[in-house]
Amino acid sequence: MTIDPSCSRTGEALLAAAGCPVPHHCDCDLTLDRIAVDRWEISLRSLRADAWVRKELSEPLGHCLGGSIIVDVLSADRFIKNARAQGFRIEFVGLGGKDLL
């Protein structure tokens, strides 16, 4: 079965109801996923994003990254604004489904 990565929210809901995992977008650099009421996970999906984040967090802290960062909503907002200014594509995963930013 081939799944279109540009699937709509309705398509994602139908896939989820059928027991099929909803794929992440393949062409995004970062994914922002809500994991709790006040916690968000930023996952690095491209080598370019990984290099940028490690550079921004400075070398000592950047080496501790495991491919994702857990932040609060204000930090997520600030991080996403900076990433968008650098031209990164971001997948937002919220309660209503997924969107590309």
Side-chain angles (χ1 to χ4, degrees):
M1 176 175 158
T2 303
I3 299 175
D4 179 11
S6 62
C7 190
S8 67
R9 287 187 178 182
T10 302
E12 289 177 1
L14 292 171
L15 284 171
C20 297
V22 180
H24 286 281
H25 294 281
C26 298
D27 60 346
C28 66
D29 297 300
L30 303 155
T31 300
L32 177 64
D33 194 0
R34 181 179 178 189
I35 57 174
V37 173
D38 61 344
R39 292 288 172 235
W40 294 80
E41 180 178 24
I42 301 169
S43 300
L44 310 174
R45 302 256 176 230
S46 73
L47 293 175
R48 182 175 161 249
D50 184 65
W52 176 71
V53 169
R54 288 177 191 279
K55 179 182 161 207
E56 290 296 311
L57 291 179
S58 79
E59 287 303 314
L61 192 57
H63 288 293
C64 298
L65 281 177
S68 67
I69 307 166
I70 306 297
V71 295
D72 63 12
V73 69
L74 294 175
S75 298
D77 182 57
R78 185 178 28 222
F79 182 90
I80 295 305
K81 285 179 182 176
N82 289 336
R84 293 280 297 150
Q86 296 295 317
F88 290 105
R89 290 184 49 103
I90 301 147
E91 177 184 48
F92 172 75
V93 182
L95 296 176
K98 298 178 183 181
D99 282 318
L100 282 177
L101 305 176

